[in-house]
Amino acid sequence: MIESIKRHVQRWNGWRRQSVNRRIFGAILTVGGLGMTVRLVLMAKELLVARRFGTTDALDAYLTAFVVPMFAVSVISGSFNASLIPALVRVQERDGQAGAQQLLSSVMLIGAGLLAAATGLLAVGSGTVVSLMGSRFSPAKLELTQHLYYVLLAVLPLSGLSTIWSAVLNAGERFALPVVASAMTPLMPLALLGVLGSRASVEGLALATVSGYAGEALLLGWAIHRRGYSHRLRWHPADGAVRQVVYQYVPMLMGSIMMGSTTIVDQAMAARLGAGSVSTLGYGNRIVGFVVGLGSLSLSTAVLPHFSRMVARADWASARHTFLVYLRLVLVVTVPVTILLAAASLPIVRLVFQRGAFTAGDSLTVARVQSFYLLQVPFYLGGILVVRLLSSLRANHVMMIAAAINMVVNISLDWILMRWIGVAGIALSTAIVYCVSFTFMLTMLYRHLPEAAIAKR
């Protein structure tokens, strides 16, 4: 009798895990399909940017001006996202939408304050920031960079609010609209370049970029209003979930600062290598960014709410099973894709970028950078799964330690490898950093969290 009951329980648990995995896989397909469309729009924009600007000083200035605002976005609002979704899922399970609204109002108040403060500080310190980022730029190029920097700072509050509102929709397993809304970001620059062509200026490109982020924020704000959430900012000091978000946010923020600084370091190092190096590094990461962006969007969006729900219910066996299933899937898919793309790097660059101001010589340099960047793909996407499980388990301190290691490794390898193989060395350094990060976080998951999602049955 007891054995029969055990068999029935095992069958039920197995069916339930398969059901969850099917839901996750369905979400991955939905997000992946929509994300592919958005990425194609983004790639179309990049093609027109390459045709219009090539690897000129104007594009160097635009990319350099954009990197610090985007770093601030990823640090402030991106960290909120990873901290908010697990807490929001737990509150929805326990207190329903009323409790979720209280949490959202408090988090939006904190987020708006941080975004406003960061925007003000970056505006006040613009001279120092731009001078450090473009240390080898000519005076005219540096002046253009600072002008574009002021315009692009508007992206910070807009993208920050969009990230928080996307988290609310994802926590409720509403994945499609946040992906569709993100298409606004490349659509506006695409429209500008499509209409004006060679007459488009880099200042117009910056304004169109800000307009795209504004459109995304408006769509997402409308969506959460339709879901019954208010946009009001209100502090609820007695809410334990708010304290939990803040508690998890602090180590995530520190980790994001250190990890995000690798992009700034890479850009600054490239700026020391001469005219066009920043643009070359950017083009070399376009195709790679397409692949890892699509994969990470699909994985992180789909698995975090489910991991959070499993952890909220203390369903460790399902969390472990889901993690291992998708980690194997990531490695089986990405390793051969990485090899094929690296082997065909030069033809891909020629096909995608070589036209107008983008020359055959540019293709050779960019293809080499792209080949090294591609090596990060399996480690980057595998790391997304590890990070999402750690976030669900409220173990964000592990990411802070990993980010500190990554920062040291990245700075050291950038300095060594760029002296050896130029701008391609910066791309190789990035790939090694993601390999080290993945290995460290996976090891920490197995060593320090054996009683949770990875514990053996």
Side-chain angles (χ1 to χ4, degrees), residues 45 49 52-53 58 62 144 147-148 151-152 185-194 196-197 199-212:
K45 185 208 81 173
V49 168
R52 169 64 185 90
F53 297 105
Y62 172 83
L144 175 61
H147 174 64
L148 296 174
V151 174
L152 292 168
T185 304
L187 269 176
M188 296 303 289
L190 178 64
L192 172 81
L193 293 165
L196 296 181
R199 292 174 294 152
S201 66
V202 73
E203 292 89 349
L205 179 62
L207 288 171
T209 300
V210 173
S211 299

Side-chain angles (χ1 to χ4, degrees), residues 161-393:
L161 290 174
S162 293
T163 303
I164 294 173
W165 291 336
S166 293
V168 175
L169 295 171
N170 290 338
E173 298 187 30
R174 296 295 187 272
F175 303 118
L177 186 59
V179 181
V180 172
S182 67
M184 293 296 296
T185 304
L187 269 176
M188 296 303 289
L190 178 64
L192 172 81
L193 293 165
V195 172
L196 296 181
S198 61
R199 292 174 294 152
S201 66
V202 73
E203 292 89 349
L205 179 62
L207 288 171
T209 300
V210 173
S211 299
Y213 279 96
E216 180 182 1
L218 287 172
L219 277 176
L220 291 171
W222 169 81
I224 70 162
H225 179 71
R226 286 290 302 272
R227 293 278 298 162
Y229 288 99
S230 168
H231 296 119
R232 68 177 181 270
L233 308 181
R234 186 176 178 183
W235 179 246
H236 297 276
D239 193 340
V242 176
R243 291 194 296 272
Q244 190 61 56
V245 170
V246 173
Y247 177 76
Q248 290 299 314
Y249 176 67
V250 172
M252 196 71 179
L253 176 67
M254 298 304 296
S256 295
I257 290 172
M258 289 182 283
M259 190 65 194
S261 67
T262 60
T263 303
I264 293 179
V265 169
D266 290 350
Q267 292 268 72
M269 292 286 192
R272 300 175 64 87
L273 294 175
S277 295
V278 175
S279 301
T280 298
L281 190 70
Y283 285 123
N285 199 28
R286 290 292 187 266
I287 304 296
V288 182
F290 181 93
V291 175
V292 300
L294 181 61
S296 62
L297 173 69
S298 304
L299 283 171
S300 62
T301 300
V303 302
L304 181 56
H306 288 284
F307 276 153
S308 300
R309 200 156 277 112
M310 293 170 190
V311 171
R313 296 169 181 171
D315 190 358
W316 310 124
S318 294
R320 173 183 179 272
H321 175 76
T322 300
F323 171 74
L324 292 176
V325 165
Y326 284 97
L327 182 60
R328 292 189 193 106
L329 179 63
V330 164
L331 296 178
V332 167
V333 171
T334 58
V335 170
V337 167
T338 299
I339 294 171
L340 288 172
L341 290 176
S345 187
L346 181 56
I348 290 172
V349 171
R350 284 174 174 166
L351 175 65
V352 174
F353 295 118
Q354 191 174 312
R355 57 184 59 83
F358 196 100
T359 66
D362 294 332
S363 291
L364 289 171
T365 308
V366 170
R368 191 181 188 203
V369 172
Q370 180 176 275
S371 296
F372 285 124
Y373 261 137
L374 280 163
L375 300 177
Q376 72 182 275
V377 173
F379 306 110
Y380 186 102
L381 295 180
I384 290 292
L385 281 174
V386 179
V387 165
R388 290 318 189 197
L389 181 52
L390 287 169
S391 292
S392 300
L393 293 162

